[in-house]
Amino acid sequence: MYSSMSMCMNKTCNLEILGLCFTVSINMRCICPSVIFGEDVAFGGVFRCTVGLRDKYGKDRVFNTPLCEQGIVGFGIGAAVAGATAIAEIQFADYIYPAFDQIVNEAAKYRYRSGNLFDCGNLTIRAPWGCVGHGSLYHSQSPEAFFAHCPGIKVVIPRGPVQCKGLLLSCIADQNPCIFFEPKILYRAAVEQVPTEAYTIPLSQAEVIQEGSDVTLVAWGTQIHVLREVANMAQEKLGVSCELIDLQTILPWDTETVCKSVAKTGRLLISHEAPITGGFAAEISSTVQEECFLNLEAPIARVCGYDTPFPHIFEPFYIPDKWKCFEAVKKLISY
Amino acid sequence: ILWLGPDSNLFGFGIFGALRQQPFDSSEEKPQFPGASAEFIDHLEFIQPNVISGIPVYRVMDRAGKIINPSEDPQLSKEQVLNFYQKMTLLNTMDRILYESQRQGRISFYMTNYGEEGTHIGSAAALDPRDLVFGQYREAGVLMYRGFPLDLFMAQCYANVDDLGKGRQMPVHYGSKDLNFVTISSPLATQIPQAAGAAYAAKRENTNLAVICYFGEGAASEGDAHAGFNFSATLECPLIFFCRNNGYAISTPTNEQYRGDGIAARGPGYGMMSIRVDGNDVFAVYNATKEARRRAVAENQPFLIEAMTYRIGHHSTSDDSSAYRSVDEVNYWDKQDHPISRLRHYMTARSWWSEEDERSWRKQSRKMVMEAFEKAEKRHKPHPDLMFSDVYEEMTPNLVKQKEAMWRHVQQYKEHYPLDAYAK
């Protein structure tokens, strides 16, 4: 019988503790014992996600690896192929690229190319993701678009502690290799009441967080909180009713929920921190105009980062903040 | 066998072994750095990499198949040795026929194993059949030794309906779950860190099994190789790294691939037990692999075996190696230092194999291969629905839609699609 983690017994929990301790804990005691590894995982991790796990579960299950992302993911794939539930941590999503070959050419294609003889479905890769106020080029990136183009993996991004636990547990249980991006700004900022028992949130299902009739707003991760404010502003200042959707899973994504909403509202705004060109909003926009062309009252709006590397001192100007999104809603309404 | 451990003195001074954290004490004259435990030295001296007389090549037989040091003879039974020989020659026969079939346009691509049969059979024989094998693409003999039938080799090359891989990959990308041979993938060296992870998982499960990972000397230049070596040593994995150093990576000779003393010399740098063997000597390969396996499992540490050999064939059917090497060079290896003929000399010296046996086996093995070949040619290709499955464990909605769209299109334009060749 699973006994609750002492720090999260029916009280408020922030994303980092919730994000890891619970979910990994739950998996670690289940039939298929998990291993969690990566740089600095043993002492608790640079974001404290793995604090306490080594003492509780042992050094053979919670361990440091050498500083080598291609090794971390390659090792994780091999462990998963051999039957272990492998949770590989990449210290920042900005550093995932050395592992790109292992993720795209190996993990994603393992089952297909072997005719289902072999697979690495037991692999979950976790990485801190997104802007944090001062992260600059290499501690702020949102690389989901690179991986959205890769059939065979799943890409999942939670907006808060409750979703983090449910989605991460789903990823770990899912028999496909998953990449789980954790919005690092929310590690300390987001605090929520989280149920102590295990629960999963289904993958590839977008959530309509708030219903509305005039404009559909789509985002994921941190940007959901920005759009929530924008929805309030739109209601108060413009009398406009917004329907807010958290995509949650980037790949495979829930086209049905988004298209159903746009068929109703006729207006769509998609927002993400990642640069606009080739960003995931482009895929959503393209699919929606195919499926909902005659429903559209205005061109689909994308409010995203500029096509620059993520800057340091210019972050306040770079990010798709609520004013930019609010302005875009105004244009959608008045088209 | 002499293993080169990380503490050995080959380069004229001690190579540092595993670090031990000890309390810092500045009253001691020894260095206190956490990163290395060694003595101080007061004169400037660069370490000379020893390439001229590098790590020696372990062998059991001379080039004429005669045992050199009787205590190293594994003394395998006649039955085992005949099996080695027949597996090596069957592989050779299959290679000849399938290479030719590509030339005739029957299959799209092929890679032969000429000259490296000893590395496959010697190592495969030394393993437990449950040991997981991660290969690169030139290890078909390992699969053959384990009993993969000719029909399934052919099925994969023809991508027909019997292919375990469901027709999704180019020829020679074999895989077998039953025989514990992980499906081959084209990207080089990606299997190396994966093998470390699989070995770690095996260690945790207390299976007492090892993992073996094959790669060429070219793939050893990839970052993934460095990653795999380092991870396996630091995480104490029961793993054998088996490098086939066959002299060429397509057209690139070894002196353009590396400047150090081959791949074996890198092992001590990672804190890894290492050895170099004569890859054309099936007994040397067998002995080294057997001992490496025993110790890898008993001691939970990786072993690096560099098997020196020669790639007699072209890189693949897309290559013509006369563009970068001489026919004389190739002939030397084919005629004067070949794993198959060396073993045959060993067998004939013991009267275990006669001219008649050779003639009859050549005929029989060729017949076996031709039968499998002719059968495979006639089979249908897999059903095109299999293009869409196994991308994920489950079929996702977008793929259901795309599959339906494909069939609607193909129905409409069916005369332009080769439906007759495919299963209905």
Side-chain angles (χ1 to χ4, degrees):
Chain A
M1 194 60 226
Y2 170 65
S3 62
S4 309
M5 285 287 285
S6 55
M7 51 182 120
C8 292
M9 208 160 338
N10 251 333
K11 75 183 208 304
T12 53
C13 245
N14 67 15
L15 189 66
E16 88 205 4
I17 294 173
L18 194 281
L20 247 307
C21 290
F22 257 129
T23 55
V24 174
S25 227
I26 287 165
N27 269 273
M28 288 190 137
R29 59 115 191 141
C30 76
I31 303 153
C32 44
S34 347
V35 286
I36 183 161
F37 51 89
E39 295 153 24
D40 305 297
V41 163
F43 89 104
V46 294
F47 289 107
R48 307 191 326 127
C49 290
T50 49
V51 164
L53 295 183
R54 189 173 168 96
D55 287 340
K56 192 172 171 102
Y57 296 103
K59 60 185 177 62
D60 61 317
R61 291 179 66 184
V62 182
F63 52 92
N64 291 337
T65 63
L67 208 167
C68 179
E69 287 76 13
Q70 67 196 104
I72 290 167
V73 173
F75 178 92
I77 291 170
V81 167
T85 297
I87 304 167
E89 177 175 305
I90 299 294
Q91 198 155 86
F92 284 87
D94 312 57
Y95 309 137
I96 201 167
Y97 309 110
F100 201 76
D101 187 39
Q102 286 284 353
I103 293 168
V104 169
N105 268 336
E106 296 289 312
K109 298 172 168 64
Y110 231 92
R111 189 189 294 277
Y112 188 81
R113 74 190 187 197
S114 69
N116 200 26
L117 294 178
F118 298 96
D119 69 84
C120 59
N122 288 327
L123 174 66
T124 303
I125 300 166
R126 300 173 36 249
W129 168 101
C131 78
V132 71
H134 55 276
S136 181
L137 283 79
Y138 302 113
H139 299 82
S140 312
Q141 289 180 42
S142 308
E144 66 274 11
F146 293 108
F147 298 101
H149 192 56
C150 179
I153 52 169
K154 297 195 176 180
V155 180
V156 179
I157 306 175
R159 69 172 181 273
V162 171
Q163 289 68 38
C164 181
K165 173 170 174 174
L167 290 171
L168 182 54
L169 277 175
S170 287
C171 285
I172 294 170
D174 193 278
Q175 285 302 298
N176 299 291
C178 296
I179 303 180
F180 189 76
F181 287 125
E182 300 169 1
K184 65 177 84 64
I185 201 171
L186 300 180
Y187 278 144
R188 292 188 209 290
V191 177
E192 272 186 328
Q193 289 277 2
V194 179
T196 50
E197 75 280 4
Y199 61 91
T200 54
I201 293 175
L203 302 183
S204 295
Q205 270 190 39
E207 185 185 342
V208 179
I209 300 177
Q210 187 178 301
E211 284 188 20
S213 51
D214 302 328
V215 178
T216 301
L217 306 176
V218 174
W220 46 91
T222 321
Q223 201 64 8
I224 285 290
H225 305 292
V226 175
L227 290 187
R228 204 199 294 266
E229 271 200 69
V230 172
N232 292 340
M233 285 159 72
Q235 184 64 67
E236 277 169 33
K237 302 190 185 181
L238 309 170
V240 163
S241 152
C242 294
E243 180 147 291
L244 177 58
I245 299 178
D246 181 359
L247 200 63
Q248 300 193 121
T249 300
I250 306 302
L251 183 76
W253 70 281
D254 182 0
T255 56
E256 202 181 312
T257 299
V258 174
C259 290
K260 184 162 156 226
S261 174
V262 179
K264 179 174 71 172
T265 63
R267 295 175 187 85
L268 175 61
L269 182 152
I270 315 156
S271 185
H272 57 63
E273 291 167 22
I276 188 167
T277 297
F280 198 65
E283 158 64 25
I284 297 172
S285 178
S286 184
T287 299
V288 169
Q289 67 86 30
E290 275 170 18
E291 302 291 317
C292 309
F293 186 71
L294 294 174
N295 303 105
L296 289 171
E297 297 292 338
I300 298 170
R302 296 181 292 160
V303 183
C304 305
Y306 300 116
D307 288 331
T308 70
F310 202 107
H312 180 225
I313 210 66
F314 310 115
E315 179 165 333
F317 298 94
Y318 175 89
I319 52 174
D321 61 27
K322 64 189 180 192
W323 304 112
K324 293 181 186 171
C325 295
F326 178 66
E327 190 55 31
V329 169
K330 275 208 283 190
K331 289 204 166 65
L332 280 173
I333 292 298
S334 61
Y335 187 78
Chain B
I1 305 175
L2 176 70
W3 288 95
L4 181 65
D7 292 322
S8 78
N9 247 316
L10 191 70
F11 300 139
F13 73 100
I15 299 167
F16 313 121
L19 282 339
R20 272 160 267 109
Q21 300 289 74
Q22 54 210 15
F24 298 119
D25 180 357
S26 61
S27 67
E28 274 214 40
E29 269 310 298
K30 263 187 75 72
Q32 300 292 304
F33 305 111
S37 56
E39 299 296 328
F40 280 118
I41 189 172
D42 61 15
H43 54 275
L44 184 65
E45 188 182 295
F46 288 100
I47 301 163
Q48 171 83 13
N50 196 343
V51 183
I52 308 299
S53 55
I55 296 170
V57 183
Y58 169 69
R59 64 175 182 172
V60 172
M61 294 185 277
D62 64 17
R63 291 188 189 94
K66 188 154 161 286
I67 300 285
I68 298 165
N69 177 352
S71 64
E72 296 290 315
D73 183 345
Q75 297 186 334
L76 299 173
S77 69
K78 178 179 171 187
E79 209 182 326
Q80 281 173 300
V81 173
L82 256 56
N83 184 37
F84 282 16
Y85 185 77
Q86 287 173 342
K87 288 291 184 312
M88 290 199 284
T89 49
L90 184 63
L91 176 62
N92 188 274
T93 301
M94 183 179 82
D95 275 353
R96 284 172 202 281
I97 286 166
L98 285 176
Y99 184 90
E100 213 20 65
S101 81
Q102 192 279 340
R103 276 356 217 171
Q104 295 170 11
R106 296 166 191 268
I107 61 175
S108 60
F109 174 81
Y110 194 70
M111 299 177 98
T112 58
N113 302 275
Y114 302 147
E116 301 186 50
E117 298 89 347
T119 62
H120 303 180
I121 270 58
S123 56
L127 301 169
D128 185 302
R130 296 165 300 157
D131 291 337
L132 201 55
V133 174
F134 285 83
Q136 183 171 294
Y137 53 54
R138 218 184 291 279
E139 295 90 14
V142 174
L143 201 45
M144 187 171 271
Y145 185 86
R146 284 193 168 180
F148 200 61
L150 291 170
D151 285 343
L152 290 182
F153 278 110
M154 303 284 170
Q156 199 284 328
C157 289
Y158 275 93
N160 71 29
V161 80
D162 302 318
D163 176 23
L164 299 179
K166 302 180 186 172
R168 289 162 182 160
Q169 292 211 84
M170 285 168 76
V172 313
H173 289 64
Y174 311 114
S176 167
K177 181 125 186 99
D178 291 343
L179 300 177
N180 303 299
F181 189 95
V182 180
T183 303
I184 299 301
S185 70
S186 307
L188 296 183
T190 48
Q191 72 276 18
I192 302 177
Q194 291 173 22
Y200 190 86
K203 178 174 79 165
R204 287 210 64 249
E205 302 267 293
N206 287 312
T207 54
N208 284 320
L209 294 178
V211 172
I212 190 164
C213 181
Y214 296 89
F215 51 94
E217 87 284 351
S221 294
E222 283 278 1
D224 271 345
H226 162 70
F229 295 162
N230 200 21
F231 274 57
S232 66
T234 54
L235 298 173
E236 299 170 357
C237 302
L239 174 56
I240 304 158
F241 290 115
F242 195 103
C243 176
R244 293 176 295 97
N245 187 331
N246 64 11
Y248 289 90
I250 308 188
S251 71
T252 305
T254 53
N255 65 5
E256 289 172 14
Q257 192 65 247
Y258 54 76
R259 222 22 89 81
D261 178 24
I263 288 31
R266 300 179 196 170
Y270 293 98
M272 191 158 46
M273 298 294 291
S274 314
I275 195 169
R276 170 173 286 149
V277 306
D278 181 341
N280 291 354
D281 176 345
V282 73
F283 294 143
V285 172
Y286 175 83
N287 285 350
T289 309
K290 198 155 181 81
E291 179 66 358
R293 190 206 177 274
R294 185 188 71 76
R295 290 187 62 184
V297 172
E299 301 163 25
N300 283 317
Q301 60 168 322
F303 278 72
L304 173 61
I305 300 173
E306 183 184 20
M308 308 307 294
T309 180
Y310 188 84
R311 194 196 76 208
I312 288 174
H314 308 298
H315 166 71
S316 72
T317 48
S318 308
D319 177 46
D320 175 6
S321 61
S322 67
Y324 51 84
R325 59 184 185 177
S326 72
V327 171
D328 287 343
E329 177 184 312
V330 177
N331 272 334
Y332 166 79
W333 292 96
D334 196 25
K335 303 278 181 297
Q336 306 204 42
D337 192 346
H338 197 292
I340 290 175
S341 39
R342 279 166 81 174
L343 189 64
R344 189 172 59 246
H345 292 321
Y346 176 88
M347 288 168 17
T348 54
R350 278 155 190 72
S351 306
W352 286 355
W353 194 255
S354 67
E355 287 287 328
E356 181 48 43
D357 290 327
E358 178 71 16
R359 254 195 307 275
S360 142
W361 170 244
R362 279 201 195 183
K363 199 160 156 219
Q364 187 195 341
S365 54
R366 194 184 151 76
K367 182 162 179 281
M368 283 161 60
V369 173
M370 286 310 297
E371 275 171 9
F373 171 81
E374 276 150 17
K375 222 172 80 186
E377 277 241 303
K378 297 191 174 76
R379 304 285 283 150
H380 276 115
K381 304 307 177 195
H383 195 284
D385 277 356
L386 291 174
M387 177 166 64
F388 293 101
S389 56
D390 300 329
V391 177
Y392 294 96
E393 188 199 28
E394 70 282 10
M395 177 81 74
T396 50
N398 64 326
L399 289 178
V400 173
K401 278 200 226 142
Q402 288 172 25
K403 184 166 68 151
E404 286 164 4
M406 190 223 32
W407 281 118
R408 276 196 304 273
H409 171 82
V410 167
Q411 271 313 301
Q412 196 185 340
Y413 287 85
K414 57 165 103 62
E415 68 273 19
H416 301 293
Y417 292 90
L419 286 165
D420 289 340
Y422 291 78
K424 300 277 173 285

